[in-house]
Amino acid sequence: MLAIEHLSKHFGELQALNDVNFNVEKGEIMGLIGQNGAGKSTTFHSILSFIHYDGTINWDGQPITEAVFNQIGYLPEERSLMPKMTIEQQILYLAQLKGQSARKIRSEIDDWMARFEVKGKKNDKIKSLSKGNQQKVQLICTLIHHPSLIILDEPFSGLDPVNVDLLEQAISNAKREGAAIIFSSHDMGNVEALCDQLVMLRKGDMVLHGEIRAIRDQFGKSEIFVTTPWSAVELQQLPHVIKVTSLSNQRYLLRVDDPTAGREIFQRLSHGEYIEEFSQQPPTLDEIFRMKAGNDQ
């Protein structure tokens, strides 16, 4: 388990992190979210001992030392491949730094390249690959030694939907293998699809922490999706409806200031008859992010 207690970090007068606390269990995925400059990368750099910090960071009850680094897979936001190396040379080089044998890793490279659908041969130089394929190679370097702790800083950045799916599958596979995984992302869809819990940082402070469904439920079921022949003007007159958004032909999103009004709204719309769609939900994670981030984005 990764355990972070009272993590704080100053850069001069800037408070980059302020008393951050969370755990990531093995076989669990945590999303770290926040606007640019919120402290996400500083958190990762603290875990990896790239910087000095105040507080305690432990892995399996012990401080993270050089002996633990071989168990960690890290994908930095700034990609760092060596362009003159071949794919095979790059993967072998980084895997050997993690204590892996060249013979073992060499036998697995073809399988990993096929898994990530890398366009190229393992003797192709990194510089000859497209940006997307270079990113896939870096992901292979991050995961090929089957790390117990995986840290991914904006792993989905620049990937098209097909490659996002491939990465999501790889992350889910690592979770099933028992890895503790923490990743940052600006795409709340990725976070909601993959994560068991999340931490949101705002100017270095934790402003949200918990299971995703529980966090959404904290904000109440304030959104109603409905398909109805009623007009937007008519819907706006319903009790406690504060905003009506047209989504498509006869489909609307109603925002209410009192979730308990849902029953009365349903009765008025349906008159006790069949209604094609009426679904009352809490705000999406993306909407919650925008609310909590405020004007700092």
Side-chain angles (χ1 to χ4, degrees):
M1 178 180 74
L2 175 68
I4 293 180
E5 297 180 356
H6 307 299
L7 176 62
S8 296
K9 176 63 184 177
H10 288 84
F11 293 102
E13 296 183 357
L14 174 66
Q15 177 89 53
L17 294 172
N18 181 35
D19 197 28
V20 172
N21 299 270
F22 62 81
N23 296 334
V24 186
E25 301 282 350
K26 293 181 179 179
E28 183 177 60
I29 303 174
M30 197 196 83
L32 186 63
I33 65 175
Q35 69 273 37
N36 292 333
K40 303 184 298 296
S41 292
T42 302
T43 300
F44 292 154
H45 293 169
S46 299
I47 295 170
L48 294 160
S49 299
F50 291 171
I51 57 176
H52 295 292
Y53 56 85
D54 295 316
T56 303
I57 301 177
N58 286 335
W59 173 250
D60 283 347
Q62 300 295 326
I64 296 179
T65 62
E66 288 188 16
V68 178
F69 289 156
N70 287 352
Q71 301 178 47
I72 299 176
Y74 172 52
L75 178 74
E77 183 177 11
E78 301 82 13
R79 310 310 181 217
S80 56
L81 298 178
M82 301 178 191
K84 294 184 179 180
M85 280 190 170
T86 66
I87 294 174
E88 182 177 54
Q89 288 170 337
Q90 179 71 86
I91 294 172
L92 286 173
Y93 173 71
L94 293 176
Q96 287 176 293
L97 290 179
K98 294 292 185 179
Q100 301 292 305
S101 74
R103 181 178 180 181
K104 176 180 180 297
I105 295 301
R106 188 177 282 113
S107 69
E108 298 178 2
I109 290 175
D110 286 336
D111 178 63
W112 279 89
M113 289 181 63
R115 191 182 309 178
F116 278 96
E117 299 181 5
V118 177
K119 301 297 188 293
K121 300 175 182 178
K122 60 186 178 184
N123 59 352
D124 289 342
K125 291 189 182 295
I126 297 294
K127 65 182 180 182
S128 72
L129 303 177
S130 68
K131 184 177 179 180
N133 280 296
Q134 288 186 27
Q135 187 164 343
K136 291 179 187 180
V137 171
Q138 183 130 21
L139 285 165
I140 293 172
C141 294
T142 302
L143 300 174
I144 197 168
H145 64 290
H146 300 281
S148 302
L149 172 60
I150 299 172
I151 300 170
L152 307 171
D153 198 350
E154 294 293 342
F156 300 100
S157 177
L159 293 179
D160 61 47
V162 172
N163 288 318
V164 166
D165 287 344
L166 291 173
L167 176 54
E168 287 185 345
Q169 292 171 27
I171 293 173
S172 296
N173 288 338
K175 174 184 175 177
R176 284 191 290 271
E177 291 177 356
I181 303 167
I182 176 172
F183 74 85
S184 65
S185 179
H186 285 102
D187 189 325
M188 297 302 104
N190 299 138
V191 175
E192 198 151 6
L194 287 170
C195 293
D196 302 293
Q197 61 164 323
L198 69 81
V199 164
M200 180 176 177
L201 298 176
R202 184 174 186 266
K203 294 182 177 180
D205 293 316
M206 287 179 59
V207 294
L208 288 174
H209 179 210
E211 295 181 355
I212 290 178
R213 186 70 204 188
I215 286 173
R216 289 186 64 199
D217 287 344
Q218 289 176 18
F219 290 81
K221 295 186 176 181
S222 58
E223 299 189 344
I224 297 172
F225 294 87
V226 61
T227 300
T228 175
W230 286 39
S231 70
V233 173
E234 292 172 316
L235 293 169
Q236 189 71 62
Q237 305 308 311
L238 289 167
H240 296 284
V241 173
I242 58 175
K243 184 177 181 180
V244 176
T245 303
S246 178
L247 302 176
S248 60
N249 184 34
Q250 297 192 336
R251 188 169 188 263
Y252 300 90
L253 168 60
L254 314 182
R255 287 187 172 85
V256 296
D257 59 12
D258 181 1
T260 64
R263 183 180 295 274
E264 181 180 354
I265 293 171
F266 175 78
Q267 291 172 343
R268 290 204 187 186
L269 289 173
S270 67
H271 299 292
E273 300 294 331
Y274 169 79
I275 186 169
E276 182 179 345
E277 178 187 17
F278 187 96
S279 175
Q280 190 166 358
Q281 300 286 335
T284 65
L285 194 56
D286 186 69
E287 290 166 328
I288 292 170
F289 176 85
R290 294 173 189 276
M291 284 188 276
K292 299 298 289 186
N295 296 319
D296 295 329
Q297 294 199 86

